[in-house]
Amino acid sequence: MDNQNMDANGHGPNGNLQLGKDTPSFVSWNWPLIRKCTFFVFMSSLLAMCAVVVAMIVTLPKVCNPKTMWYRGSVFYEIFPASFQDSDNDGIGDLRGVVKRLDYIKSLGVSAVRLNSIFPTSHYPEDFNHIASLMEVSKVLGNLEEVQQLSQSLHARNMSLILDLPLYPFIKELGKSEGASLIKVLASTASNTSDTEDTTTTTARPIITVNLITMALQHWIKYGVNGFYIKGLEHFPDLEDIEYHLAEWKDILGNERVLIISEEVLQRLNKAQKSAALQHIDLVDVYLNVFNGTIYMEERLNDLLNSDIAPKDPGVWIHWSLGSVDKPRMAREGVSSNFSITATLMQLMLPGTPSIFYGDEIGLRAVDDHLKEHNETKHLHHLSTMQWPLNFTQQFTTRETLPWLPKSSGTSFDDYTLVSRMIALRDRSPSIYKNAICKGDTVLPNTAIRRSGDDILIVERIYPRRNTFVSVSNFGQIRVTLDMTSKFYSGIVMLHGNNDKIYFSDFQIGPTESIIVRLDK
């Protein structure tokens, strides 16, 4: 540019400095626009990062509870299918009927349905013990395809299917395990090896004995069964190889399927057998007779919590039963339905895996037969047909069809709400669904069982950095006022939705009632 076009300060006509030939090109860039664009990109990136952080916070779980296997600490629902729901109007429940009621079961909050006896007998359901096959379904209930339909419907609702496998008297002896002899020889060889020699320990899968039991397990797994209760083992005269059979059965099932046996089986084993057997069992079924009084229950529960099946993780867990296909129903003649609900709420506070017998969640009563008109089915009266709310479009069967057992007296579905809320509380509270406190190699109990007088049972459940819960259950027939300030001060009453404050200095509880309290910290 000519000097004549410059002002006194050396600026050009537009007020810009005159650039020489050696001046870098970036000096002439449009820096105001660059600054605006950079600021826009920076703010956009900042907003994007904030949005990501907010999204992560929103999607985080509300609680960070310790996890367990699906069958540990959850609740099972035990069904005798012939008494649950009739779908073809023949007066007898069936597998399709169970499928029709899965939404009810799901709303209860359980994790698995446990089917009792589904196998063919000559007179099912009146005689369900003397089965003719371990691989077929009684035609009264349905067929194999309907078992698969049931398992698929359960899985679609995030529930599992457990099958009772009644061995005795269909199978009268357990027999030898083909892998047992080999294992015993290897163990003997290892024990005789000199300490100065180099030895290598190999853990191999057990040899699977081909027999009716292993074939039945493999058969039902194909139809979607997620676990088995092997029943009747306690009746076998010889249990010499039981630990090896259990190892085989568990190998067939794998880690995700559950293997259950009765406490009575363990009581027949010697110490070495029991120790070996417990390595292959997931749940041990324990029957708690709530009619024996709180003195018995306190002693029984504390003995179990300090036994070979004491709570530990990992390790075997207790499967609690208050009723079953071979046990009396809690609500029966001379016993109110409230007693059933009281016991069920107490059961749901115990460490382990509770199993609710169908109908106990509503206080379903055993068959009423005051006139003794049905003595021929007296041994089946605890298997009373399920009752449904009157506003349901379908009851157990149609009005034109008589159920296979006489109908029991009416029930209250208000209790169902309490039980479902208790299961929900259990599911979200490590203090209740965990069965112990594990710190490194140390396992500490998280349950305290106490009683007060002859009728009050108290269950306290704790867990580090979580709320502590207490259930107070009155199994007696009179209202009681307690002073428990030596142990507790105050808390919030759960399950009723009112969040009422309660003080243990003047704790009042009615007859056959369970009160669940979240203790104040």
Side-chain angles (χ1 to χ4, degrees):
M1 183 181 293
D2 297 335
N3 292 335
Q4 63 184 5
N5 293 326
M6 295 181 183
D7 60 17
N9 296 319
H11 293 86
N14 298 321
N16 296 323
L17 289 173
Q18 178 65 27
L19 302 178
K21 295 181 179 181
D22 297 330
T23 304
S25 60
F26 67 83
V27 175
S28 62
W29 293 355
N30 191 341
W31 284 105
L33 178 62
I34 292 174
R35 286 195 297 271
K36 291 178 181 179
C37 291
T38 303
F39 179 76
F40 176 78
V41 171
F42 171 77
M43 292 303 297
S44 299
S45 301
L46 185 61
L47 289 173
M49 287 188 290
C50 290
V52 170
V53 171
V54 170
M56 292 176 64
I57 293 174
V58 170
T59 56
L60 282 174
K62 295 181 180 179
V63 292
C64 186
N65 288 335
K67 295 182 179 181
T68 62
M69 294 290 286
W70 66 267
Y71 53 82
R72 290 179 171 176
S74 58
V75 181
F76 292 177
Y77 191 71
E78 182 180 348
I79 294 176
F80 184 68
S83 292
F84 197 64
Q85 178 63 54
D86 175 20
S87 71
D88 55 7
N89 299 327
D90 64 353
I92 302 175
D94 45 50
L95 295 177
R96 287 186 179 180
V98 177
V99 173
K100 286 186 175 182
R101 296 300 189 187
L102 287 186
D103 288 337
Y104 166 87
I105 298 172
K106 177 64 177 178
S107 67
L108 187 59
V110 301
S111 297
V113 167
R114 184 183 138 206
L115 292 183
N116 286 137
S117 298
I118 66 170
F119 304 99
T121 67
S122 57
H123 299 287
Y124 189 92
E126 288 82 1
D127 176 16
F128 53 83
N129 287 318
H130 299 86
I131 66 173
S133 170
L134 280 174
M135 300 191 197
E136 298 294 332
V137 179
S138 171
K139 292 181 180 179
V140 175
L141 297 178
N143 53 47
L144 294 174
E145 288 69 28
E146 288 171 358
V147 173
Q148 189 160 43
Q149 180 189 0
L150 174 59
S151 68
Q152 291 172 346
S153 299
L154 283 165
H155 297 162
R157 293 169 172 82
N158 197 29
M159 293 187 288
S160 301
L161 177 61
I162 309 295
L163 185 62
D164 283 11
L165 212 61
L167 305 185
Y168 187 88
F170 180 64
I171 299 174
K172 291 184 170 58
E173 61 179 18
L174 189 56
K176 297 292 183 182
S177 164
E178 293 180 4
S181 298
L182 176 60
I183 294 172
K184 291 175 183 177
V185 169
L186 291 175
S188 176
T189 303
S191 63
N192 292 328
T193 302
S194 171
D195 293 339
T196 59
E197 298 178 4
D198 292 333
T199 60
T200 302
T201 302
T202 302
T203 302
R205 296 179 63 181
I207 298 173
I208 304 300
T209 304
V210 179
N211 56 29
L212 285 175
I213 303 173
T214 55
M215 288 190 294
L217 293 174
Q218 293 165 333
H219 171 75
W220 290 111
I221 286 174
K222 295 177 183 177
Y223 290 93
V225 176
N226 304 105
F228 300 87
Y229 183 177
I230 311 296
K231 303 184 79 171
L233 291 171
E234 62 274 14
H235 299 301
F236 290 151
D238 182 10
L239 293 177
E240 180 183 355
D241 288 345
I242 180 64
E243 63 269 41
Y244 302 104
H245 285 291
L246 289 169
E248 296 177 20
W249 301 340
K250 184 57 185 173
D251 186 71
I252 292 172
L253 269 59
N255 292 329
E256 292 299 320
R257 297 184 185 91
V258 59
L259 178 62
I260 311 172
I261 69 167
S262 170
E263 177 194 17
E264 297 174 17
V265 179
L266 295 179
Q267 291 171 347
R268 286 194 51 193
L269 306 183
N270 60 45
K271 186 175 182 180
Q273 279 184 307
K274 185 185 296 185
S275 177
L278 289 175
Q279 298 179 32
H280 310 294
I281 303 166
D282 299 304
L283 298 174
V284 175
D285 182 47
V286 170
Y287 172 64
L288 183 63
N289 190 340
V290 293
F291 291 99
N292 284 351
T294 58
I295 296 176
Y296 157 82
M297 284 192 282
E298 179 192 35
E299 182 178 353
R300 170 89 160 125
L301 290 170
N302 282 321
D303 286 347
L304 286 165
L305 297 180
N306 292 282
S307 67
D308 294 324
I309 56 175
K312 61 181 72 70
D313 192 4
V316 66
W317 284 44
I318 297 176
H319 174 270
W320 299 101
S321 296
L322 303 184
S324 186
V325 68
D326 54 359
K327 296 291 189 297
R329 185 169 285 280
M330 286 190 288
R332 55 181 188 264
E333 185 175 354
V335 182
S336 72
S337 295
N338 288 341
F339 187 93
S340 173
I341 304 302
T342 298
T344 300
L345 293 177
M346 180 277 298
Q347 176 196 21
L348 292 171
M349 281 288 292
L350 297 176
T353 300
S355 181
I356 298 176
F357 194 45
Y358 79 96
D360 282 349
E361 75 279 9
I362 58 171
L364 180 67
R365 300 181 61 81
V367 171
D368 292 326
D369 187 24
H370 301 298
L371 301 178
K372 310 299 181 185
E373 295 177 338
H374 303 281
N375 279 333
E376 71 280 1
T377 59
K378 184 177 180 179
H379 63 293
L380 300 170
H381 285 182
H382 63 296
L383 301 176
S384 44
T385 55
M386 185 65 177
Q387 295 189 25
W388 304 102
L390 295 177
N391 59 351
F392 274 33
T393 55
Q394 185 178 4
Q395 296 300 304
F396 171 75
T397 190
T398 61
R399 293 182 179 181
E400 294 76 19
T401 307
L402 290 175
W404 73 284
L405 283 176
K407 187 178 179 181
S408 63
S409 59
T411 58
S412 170
F413 278 83
D414 293 339
D415 298 324
Y416 168 88
T417 303
L418 288 179
V419 175
S420 62
R421 287 177 178 175
M422 182 65 220
I423 294 175
L425 176 65
R426 180 184 180 91
D427 285 345
R428 66 176 183 264
S429 306
S431 305
I432 306 177
Y433 73 74
K434 290 289 287 182
N435 72 344
I437 301 170
C438 300
K439 294 184 177 181
D441 295 331
T442 304
V443 179
L444 302 174
N446 73 334
T447 307
I449 307 292
R450 308 180 185 92
R451 68 177 177 87
S452 177
D454 296 331
D455 298 319
I456 304 296
L457 188 72
I458 303 166
V459 181
E460 181 183 2
R461 303 299 311 279
I462 63 173
Y463 202 79
R465 297 181 297 280
R466 296 294 193 278
N467 290 310
T468 296
F469 294 91
V470 170
S471 70
V472 182
S473 302
N474 182 4
F475 290 93
Q477 300 301 314
I478 61 173
R479 189 173 188 84
V480 177
T481 300
L482 303 170
D483 182 356
M484 294 185 281
T485 50
S486 61
K487 295 294 182 182
F488 318 115
Y489 178 68
S490 65
I492 301 297
V493 177
M494 309 299 291
L495 309 186
H496 296 279
N498 299 325
N499 292 330
D500 290 337
K501 189 85 166 181
I502 195 167
Y503 293 91
F504 287 90
S505 58
D506 186 29
F507 190 96
Q508 298 184 20
I509 183 169
T512 56
E513 181 183 13
S514 280
I515 298 177
I516 314 299
V517 180
R518 185 188 69 210
L519 297 184
D520 291 334
K521 294 184 178 180

